[in-house]
Amino acid sequence: MPSSLEAHVSETENEWSTIGYFKNVVQFLKEKNVKNVLDVGGCTGQVSVMLLHEIPTIKSVTILEPVSENYKFIVERAKDADTAKVNVLNKALFYGETHIRLGQCDNNVGGWSFQHTGNQTEEVETATLEEFSNIDFVKIDIEGAEKNVIPSSTYIHEIPYLEIEFHDELMTTWKEFVGEHLKNHKVKYEGNPQRPQNVFLVREDLFE
């Protein structure tokens, strides 16, 4: 029987290869010849693996994954990838604190995810978007911490393409949040009923 992480690899691969929203995102990024990718909340690293396979112009992928179990899983998988292109960091994207604690996750993928309440057991170093440069595309799936990151970052407004999975109350109210905090971007694709919490945005000056 596969582990929860191995099962999540298959689930992610199925979503990104069959759901129209994700297929549109990949095709768009391929047509735009993206080169530098930041995968925030990499989980198993499967999205990065698929993007590297589908988009030959990618030169570098940096994966941020704060959960130690997930991080080790990604590092092991990255041995089979082009290691010159892949950089995996055991960090959480967050502003205002040098370290945060991770709380127990209800989906049991890797066991833990971001929470400020509940059973906090694992401390991890943080990073900000401003520590990176020349990023073409960022995928953000950070279990509710987007409420901290998006309003706090200045660099996010310069990034051409964003794919965000919203959590908690923002799963249904993300349009208002995006309208307030991501005014430099326009919505290109919205997640369909299977993934209503996902949105793909293009910087306004690049929007077609």
Side-chain angles (χ1 to χ4, degrees), residues 107-198:
N107 65 11
N108 201 36
V109 176
W112 311 97
S113 69
F114 171 79
Q115 289 183 351
H116 262 314
T117 59
N119 184 20
Q120 299 177 349
T121 64
E122 186 174 343
E123 186 173 87
V124 63
E125 184 180 351
T126 62
T128 68
L129 287 174
E130 284 69 21
E131 295 173 34
F132 304 92
S133 60
N134 300 318
I135 299 297
D136 301 310
F137 168 62
V138 178
K139 188 216 83 178
I140 299 176
D141 182 1
I142 50 179
E143 306 300 331
E146 65 271 14
K147 288 176 282 188
N148 164 274
V149 168
I150 293 173
S152 302
S153 175
T154 57
Y155 181 47
I156 196 170
H157 304 294
E158 301 176 23
I159 297 170
Y161 312 118
L162 306 170
E163 201 283 320
I164 304 170
E165 179 174 330
F166 286 102
H167 300 81
D168 305 326
E169 73 279 4
L170 292 182
M171 291 177 67
T172 56
T173 63
W174 63 260
K175 289 185 179 181
E176 292 86 348
F177 186 83
V178 165
E180 181 178 357
H181 297 292
L182 289 170
K183 295 179 180 179
N184 280 19
H185 289 77
K186 294 178 65 176
V187 174
K188 180 70 175 179
Y189 304 118
E190 295 183 33
N192 59 21
Q194 293 171 280
R195 302 292 300 183
Q197 68 270 41
N198 285 78

Side-chain angles (χ1 to χ4, degrees), residues 4-70:
S4 59
L5 288 172
E6 290 168 341
H8 198 269
V9 168
S10 298
E11 179 183 334
T12 302
E13 183 174 6
N14 180 65
E15 284 185 343
W16 281 74
S17 60
T18 63
I19 295 177
Y21 165 80
F22 291 115
K23 292 171 69 175
N24 287 339
V25 169
V26 173
Q27 183 60 34
F28 181 92
L29 295 173
K30 187 174 182 178
E31 291 173 358
K32 297 303 179 182
N33 299 316
V34 296
K35 296 179 175 61
N36 301 308
V37 172
L38 182 60
D39 183 354
V40 186
C43 192
T44 64
Q46 182 59 23
V47 172
S48 290
V49 169
M50 295 181 70
L51 292 178
L52 280 166
H53 177 73
E54 294 290 335
I55 306 174
T57 55
I58 290 178
K59 293 183 177 180
S60 72
V61 174
T62 299
I63 304 173
L64 268 64
E65 175 49 54
V67 179
S68 58
E69 181 183 355
N70 297 5

